[in-house]
Amino acid sequence: ERPDAIEQLTGYVVRSSFTSGEPLQEARLVKANAAGYLSAILPSGMRAVATEISAETGAGGFVIPGDHVDVILTHRDREAGKRNGFETYTSETIINNVRVLAIDQTIEDKNGQKVVIGKTATLELSPRQAETLALGKQVGTLSLALRSVVDTGKDATDNPDDDRKRSGVNMVRFGVTTTAIEK
């Protein structure tokens, strides 16, 4: 209970629970930005999943940890392409309103100036959303759409008047349509 002992613990997170009266052990604490920190702050039942991003697919580089994003999948629509006679692509939101846990950042030289560029975003997802993201990576290109701070508590879509409910990406193989990704 010494003040200097409490100051030494500032910036640490508990990795596992303690019982009343049990002494604090350094092995059960983790310092911010140290190995094991992310798993210590991840809510129960959630997963931290990384996905590749670029300035073009990551809202121009403006996504930072703590922001909320929607994940958009863009892929080739072979069936529409057959009907139209030309290559056709489609996009849809496959995951709504998820928290960004981390963005890796590297400093690169562009036109003589140092710029910070993130190449990977780590998202806080449910197990089902983690599966959706993994499948989306195989199907097409993923983009992050940055949400307004005002909208982070909502499941709002771009057009609130659009009452269509999308359940996933419809894949057509040999004339049979199946839903490959569900929300």
Side-chain angles (χ1 to χ4, degrees):
E1 302 282 342
R2 297 183 338 238
D4 59 330
I6 301 226
E7 285 179 24
Q8 290 175 353
L9 294 176
T10 301
Y12 281 86
V13 175
V14 176
R15 284 189 55 82
S16 59
S17 62
F18 287 87
T19 59
S20 179
E22 182 181 357
L24 293 177
Q25 300 169 359
E26 191 172 343
R28 296 189 39 205
L29 302 173
V30 64
K31 183 125 177 110
N33 299 325
Y37 179 74
L38 189 56
S39 64
I41 65 164
L42 196 61
S44 175
M46 299 303 281
R47 307 294 185 263
V49 182
T51 188
E52 289 183 27
I53 59 168
S54 65
E56 294 82 12
T57 63
F62 289 101
V63 177
I64 61 171
D67 282 344
H68 284 241
V69 297
D70 293 337
V71 180
I72 300 171
L73 172 64
T74 302
H75 65 94
R76 189 170 161 201
D77 187 338
R78 295 177 196 271
E79 194 61 33
K82 287 179 188 176
R83 285 191 311 268
N84 300 335
F86 55 89
E87 204 167 73
T88 304
Y89 288 84
T90 186
S91 290
E92 69 179 298
T93 301
I94 59 170
I95 302 173
N96 285 304
N97 197 16
V98 294
R99 182 169 67 132
V100 177
L101 296 171
I103 299 284
D104 80 315
Q105 295 180 337
T106 56
I107 298 174
E108 294 184 7
D109 189 32
K110 288 221 175 184
N111 300 327
Q113 292 189 348
K114 302 280 185 199
V115 294
V116 178
I117 298 182
K119 295 186 179 179
T120 306
T122 303
L123 307 176
E124 180 184 88
L125 304 173
S126 70
R128 180 74 140 165
Q129 290 171 326
E131 293 169 359
T132 298
L133 186 73
L135 183 56
K137 289 180 190 180
Q138 299 303 313
V139 172
T141 302
L142 298 176
S143 300
L144 303 182
L146 181 62
R147 295 177 71 98
S148 166
V149 173
V150 177
D151 292 335
T152 59
K154 304 174 186 174
D155 268 340
T157 60
D158 288 339
N159 182 0
D161 297 327
D162 185 1
D163 59 357
R164 291 177 295 158
K165 300 291 183 198
R166 297 184 183 194
S167 62
V169 175
N170 292 325
M171 301 293 291
V172 179
R173 288 196 175 110
F174 308 111
V176 178
T177 303
T178 58
T179 300
I181 298 177
E182 294 179 359
K183 286 186 190 176

